[in-house]
Amino acid sequence: MKQQPAQVTRRDWFRLRTNPVGQLLDSPVSENQAGLQPIAHPENHDGLDLTLLPPMREALLTPAQVGSLFEDINVLASDVQLMQRSIELRQKATTLPVSTQLAVARDSLLTGQIPRLQIRYRWQEALWIDTLERRSDGVRLVRIQHLSSTPT
């Protein structure tokens, strides 16, 4: 008998999994889940066809939610890449395992050592880009999903 997928709660909409055991969602986090709100594309100065760009979504996370997101990416994602502007952190991170890189990046973001960072990863046959920005009212998450035709 096939088990029914767990429903994503309002509290866990941003997670890659719905429970600590690691049961995956049936589909990647998308616009139909509470929390992520659509963002308009930026002003087009170059004449690009903006309809070709993937949709962007944003939300505000608490520090605890940021910790959960980093934990999920560490456990469930593959091909994880951290993009950060801090030269010192970037140089240090290249010699560390991904789990350590994620922990250092999370702590640096939450303590204010770095104001923003981007995490690129593969999850459920799609490429994801999460941009996290520290603000006075929490951590802003901007998420973009790129569908991938290459299986993981």
Side-chain angles (χ1 to χ4, degrees), residues 13-16 28-30 33 36 39 54-59 61 69 73 121 123 128-131 141-145:
W13 59 265
F14 65 94
R15 303 285 308 264
L16 301 186
V29 176
S30 64
Q33 294 175 336
L36 286 170
I39 304 173
M56 295 185 293
R57 311 254 183 272
E58 74 173 342
L61 302 180
L69 175 61
I73 291 171
Y121 56 94
W123 179 66
W128 297 84
I129 300 174
D130 287 358
T131 302
L141 165 66
V142 175
R143 178 170 282 167
I144 301 170
Q145 175 191 7

Side-chain angles (χ1 to χ4, degrees), residues 94-109:
T94 58
T95 62
L96 301 172
V98 170
S99 60
T100 306
Q101 289 182 44
L102 286 167
V104 168
R106 178 201 61 223
D107 294 346
S108 297
L109 179 70

Side-chain angles (χ1 to χ4, degrees), residues 18-88:
T18 59
N19 62 43
V21 179
Q23 182 181 40
L24 294 177
L25 301 173
D26 276 355
S27 61
V29 176
S30 64
E31 67 273 7
N32 63 355
Q33 294 175 336
L36 286 170
Q37 300 299 316
I39 304 173
H41 285 294
E43 191 172 332
N44 187 356
H45 296 288
D46 296 326
L48 297 172
D49 182 359
L50 295 182
T51 62
L52 299 176
L53 296 176
M56 295 185 293
R57 311 254 183 272
E58 74 173 342
L60 196 62
L61 302 180
T62 66
Q65 290 173 322
V66 171
S68 296
L69 175 61
F70 274 79
E71 178 186 326
D72 286 353
I73 291 171
N74 183 46
V75 173
L76 301 170
S78 62
D79 303 327
V80 177
Q81 294 179 321
L82 286 151
M83 312 297 283
Q84 47 203 347
R85 290 189 180 185
S86 168
I87 294 170
E88 178 185 322

Side-chain angles (χ1 to χ4, degrees), residues 89 105-116 134-135:
L89 287 174
R106 178 201 61 223
D107 294 346
S108 297
L109 179 70
L110 292 176
T111 61
Q113 187 178 0
I114 57 173
R116 71 191 61 77
R134 183 176 169 80
R135 297 182 1 177

